Amino acid sequence: MVPSLSPADCSVSPITFTQTSHSTHSPSPTSLAPPILPPSTSLHPMQTRLRTGHQKPKLLFDLLTVPQSVETPTSYNQAIKYESWRNAMSAEFLALQKQGTWSLIPPPTNKPILGCKWVFKLKTNSDGQIDRYKARLVAQGFNQEHGINFNETFSPVAKLPTIRILLLLALHRNWPILQFDISNAFLHGDLLEEVFMKQPPGFVDDQHPQYVCKLHKAIYGLKQAPRQWYTKLTQSLVQFGFIFSKADPSLLIYTKSTVQLYLLIYVDDLLLTGNDSSTIQSLLHMLRSTFSLKQLGSVDTFLGIQIHKTTNGLFLHQAKYATNIIASAGFTTSKPVSTPITLKPTKTATAAQPFADPLLFRRLVGSLNYLTITRPDIAYAVNSVCQHMHSPTNADFLSIKRILRYLQGTKSYGLPLLSGNMQLTTYVDADWASDSLDRKSITGFCSFIGSTLVSWCVKKQVTVAKSSTEAEYRALSSATSDILWLRRLLAEFGLSQPSPTSIFCDSTSAIALAHNPVFHARTKHIEIDYHFISHHIQHGAIAVHHINSLNQTADILTKPLSPTRFAELRDKLTICSSNA
């Protein structure tokens, strides 16, 4: 028998983990000799292994001698067989008890009772070594009913440009960058509604097996859990003296005399930078007294983004994540290609047939989409395959294979952050009626602070443009909206932009329309965009300039390109190898 897990201070005692009984001594694998067979009287000519005596020896193992598995279990029944996962479940259960997450009560009448399950995750370091075995008890919140056991659910998370700008600010001012997360973050949130849940598998109270858990604290899986955690954390920070950023509510700012601190929240992962070490230590002491901090130290990996210091600044990349995507798709031995998308799609008899495994297609697309956080060079190609997730074809999967083959040769590529000039500039472009199915245009723009790329966008336009001028003008309007937000955010970081932000566009007609109220039959329906852009030109927020199409950096975000042109624009985006 494996010893039961019995926390000393728990009001709910876990049940005993049991396995099939075995002898005291665990036998080693044993080979069984082939049996002696009687003479066969069958006249059938087929010779089987049973007849010839060439049976493969059977290997008998004692379950208690099976080595610890490094594979992640998908169910409680799989995890219970291994000590590492049993310990992980016990640690999670103790944390729940310590937080006073629930109390056991008789099942209420006419109240929905949620189920729960264990979810397992094998945490690894950036070098791929096992860090820890993590078990999480998750409520089955998909059965919650609005107005009964949940109401509001929205919780902000940090925008990715905000993360890049925070790192760039700390680099520019030579401030330390600290990262930390909070253990069992969601368990700190206080529930406002009555929520009932079944007792967790493996930890059912022996004396009251029919009782249910009345939740006092939020738990993972509940719809309102992220919101309640965010509220709990920000309340503590506001009491310390932080205020919310108006541009990004997940950014909190502390300003007192000459002291400046910036704290960025992404669920339970936090980034902190500032110019006063004593205030930082006071803040960390306050957080430790309320929450359980872990992984405190200089920034290394944040949200799966590996952050390396270089002689010139910082380098952001997702090489480990890209390697995992390629391995999961079975392309570790594939031949690299020079571009992530072909100039002309493949047309074969089977290309239009539905892809046999749409779940695999969607999983790969989702993974590739997250990879674009540091790889804008694949943003257009990933945007193209994202449009076919509802009903992928064989041709669509070939497009994914092309992206994976491109990544095979560029796994170490990433985004450098360089200090220096902090002036904001933007490049914007559009590809008119590029989609042959719906004839909608593609908008692409990218924004730099100095020589550092901080924001970019690839997006299909909502409506069909009647002319290339209209498509470019729509793209210019989208880029202006993003610039205005970036200018507000930079002002809160103390990086105000006193001069108008330069926008580089290669369409002379769109630029003319932005400066002059010339409306006729082909442009009068975009008058709202004109007033929006013209207003900010007149007020000095933006300045639109013409640029030659050959120098248009945003061109890589709107269309497939030849290998030479693609490599040229990728260099302009500053995407390069970590070994460069």
Side-chain angles (χ1 to χ4, degrees):
M1 294 287 287
V2 178
S4 63
L5 303 176
S6 52
D9 303 325
C10 300
S11 58
V12 181
S13 59
I15 66 168
T16 301
F17 292 117
T18 59
Q19 293 182 344
T20 306
S21 299
H22 298 278
S23 60
T24 304
H25 302 285
S26 301
S28 58
T30 305
S31 299
L32 297 183
I36 300 175
L37 302 176
S40 174
T41 58
S42 174
L43 299 179
H44 197 282
M46 181 179 291
Q47 296 294 312
T48 64
R49 287 178 178 174
L50 180 62
R51 289 184 176 180
T52 60
H54 290 84
Q55 288 180 290
K56 290 185 177 180
K58 295 181 180 180
L59 298 179
L60 300 181
F61 292 96
D62 189 303
L63 291 178
L64 294 178
T65 64
V66 178
Q68 289 290 327
S69 172
V70 295
E71 296 183 356
T72 304
T74 58
S75 68
Y76 166 77
N77 289 331
Q78 291 179 10
I80 197 177
K81 300 175 183 177
Y82 305 104
E83 182 181 0
S84 298
W85 294 114
R86 292 199 299 270
N87 292 338
M89 287 188 283
S90 180
E92 175 76 357
F93 183 78
L94 286 171
L96 293 168
Q97 293 296 304
K98 183 179 179 181
Q99 293 290 339
T101 308
W102 65 68
S103 58
L104 290 181
I105 65 169
T109 56
N110 301 324
K111 295 284 186 179
I113 300 174
L114 306 178
C116 61
K117 66 173 293 185
W118 289 101
V119 176
F120 306 95
K121 175 76 173 179
L122 192 64
K123 293 285 190 177
T124 58
N125 299 319
S126 57
D127 59 0
Q129 297 297 317
I130 296 176
D131 179 28
R132 60 195 173 99
Y133 296 82
K134 187 174 184 62
R136 177 90 65 196
L137 183 65
V138 178
Q140 294 176 332
F142 52 82
N143 289 323
Q144 287 183 263
E145 302 177 33
H146 184 267
I148 297 178
N149 49 20
F150 83 95
N151 290 291
E152 297 293 334
T153 61
F154 174 76
S155 176
V157 294
K159 296 178 175 62
L160 294 171
T162 309
I163 298 174
R164 300 184 194 106
I165 294 175
L166 177 72
L167 295 173
L168 186 61
L169 170 74
L171 178 65
H172 178 68
R173 295 182 177 173
N174 199 26
W175 289 353
I177 309 171
L178 301 178
Q179 67 171 107
F180 53 95
D181 64 4
I182 297 176
S183 300
N184 304 105
F186 283 9
L187 307 185
H188 295 278
D190 299 316
L191 287 179
L192 304 178
E193 303 86 6
E194 280 193 339
V195 182
F196 302 94
M197 184 187 75
K198 296 178 180 178
Q199 296 187 53
F203 294 86
V204 178
D205 188 274
D206 293 333
Q207 298 179 356
H208 304 287
Q210 302 303 320
Y211 277 27
V212 298
C213 303
K214 180 180 180 181
L215 298 180
H216 308 299
K217 301 279 188 178
I219 192 172
Y220 290 85
L222 294 182
K223 294 180 181 294
Q224 66 268 47
R227 181 182 182 89
Q228 298 309 117
W229 154 242
Y230 175 81
T231 301
K232 182 81 170 185
L233 175 61
T234 54
Q235 283 176 350
S236 299
L237 295 172
V238 168
Q239 290 177 0
F240 186 83
F242 281 87
I243 60 172
F244 289 96
S245 162
K246 293 182 175 61
D248 189 341
S250 63
L251 174 67
L252 286 96
I253 305 168
Y254 179 92
T255 304
K256 187 175 182 181
S257 184
T258 59
V259 177
Q260 291 180 310
L261 300 183
Y262 296 92
L263 180 68
L264 196 60
I265 303 171
Y266 200 105
V267 191
D268 59 348
D269 291 295
L270 293 88
L271 278 182
L272 174 65
T273 189
N275 62 353
D276 188 82
S277 58
S278 61
T279 307
I280 291 176
Q281 292 303 318
S282 299
L283 171 63
L284 296 178
H285 177 73
M286 183 275 292
L287 291 175
R288 284 194 191 97
S289 64
T290 310
F291 311 105
S292 176
L293 301 186
K294 63 179 180 180
Q295 296 182 356
L296 178 63
S298 298
V299 65
D300 178 23
T301 303
F302 188 71
L303 304 178
I305 305 169
Q306 295 168 256
I307 304 172
H308 291 166
K309 289 186 178 181
T310 64
T311 55
N312 299 323
L314 298 174
F315 187 79
L316 313 184
H317 69 97
Q318 296 167 278
K320 179 176 179 292
Y321 186 66
T323 302
N324 291 340
I325 296 174
I326 296 170
S328 67
F331 280 75
T332 52
T333 59
S334 61
K335 182 179 179 181
V337 292
S338 55
T339 61
I341 188 170
T342 57
L343 286 172
K344 294 182 179 180
T346 303
K347 293 183 179 180
T348 62
T350 60
Q353 294 180 0
F355 181 57
D357 191 355
L359 291 179
L360 172 64
F361 181 91
R362 293 169 189 139
R363 178 171 58 83
L364 290 175
V365 169
S367 300
L368 291 171
N369 196 36
Y370 192 74
L371 188 61
T372 60
I373 292 176
T374 59
R375 297 293 301 272
D377 53 325
I378 66 170
Y380 174 75
V382 173
N383 177 271
S384 299
V385 295
C386 281
Q387 298 173 33
H388 305 282
M389 293 179 68
H390 60 292
S391 181
T393 64
N394 290 332
D396 298 327
F397 187 69
L398 288 177
S399 299
I400 287 187
K401 291 173 67 175
R402 175 80 183 192
I403 299 174
L404 294 173
R405 291 177 61 193
Y406 170 73
L407 292 176
Q408 175 73 354
T410 60
K411 287 182 288 190
S412 63
Y413 279 43
L415 178 65
L417 303 185
L418 307 174
S419 62
N421 175 27
M422 302 300 284
Q423 185 67 33
L424 179 65
T425 56
T426 297
Y427 297 83
V428 59
D429 194 22
D431 191 19
W432 178 46
S434 59
D435 193 311
S436 59
L437 297 178
D438 56 18
R439 286 303 175 188
K440 291 181 179 178
S441 307
I442 300 295
T443 291
F445 60 82
C446 52
S447 298
F448 293 80
I449 296 180
S451 59
T452 299
L453 180 63
V454 295
S455 178
W456 58 87
C457 176
V458 179
K459 186 177 181 180
K460 180 185 284 189
Q461 295 183 3
V462 178
T463 58
V464 177
K466 295 184 177 180
S467 63
S468 60
T469 299
E470 180 182 345
E472 296 277 0
Y473 203 71
R474 297 285 191 203
L476 186 60
S477 177
S478 298
T480 301
S481 299
D482 191 66
I483 289 169
L484 295 176
W485 175 76
L486 286 173
R487 287 174 64 92
R488 290 197 303 269
L489 181 63
L490 289 170
E492 292 184 321
F493 275 118
L495 300 172
S496 299
Q497 304 290 302
S499 58
T501 298
S502 297
I503 304 179
F504 295 97
C505 176
D506 59 6
S507 172
T508 54
S509 55
I511 295 173
L513 189 59
H515 288 90
N516 304 292
V518 181
F519 293 103
H520 47 74
R522 299 187 66 176
T523 59
K524 63 183 180 182
H525 59 287
I526 57 175
E527 182 179 1
I528 293 177
D529 278 332
Y530 161 73
H531 285 299
F532 173 68
I533 298 174
S534 177
H535 170 81
H536 292 293
I537 291 176
Q538 294 173 9
H539 285 76
I542 61 172
V544 185
H545 306 284
H546 181 261
I547 190 173
N548 190 288
S549 296
L550 292 177
N551 298 322
Q552 177 55 272
T553 306
D555 202 33
I556 195 175
L557 303 174
T558 60
K559 60 179 71 70
L561 300 171
S562 66
T564 303
R565 176 66 172 165
F566 179 83
E568 176 188 353
L569 294 184
R570 183 179 62 191
D571 291 340
K572 289 182 178 292
L573 283 179
T574 70
I575 302 302
C576 61
S577 171
S578 58
N579 302 321

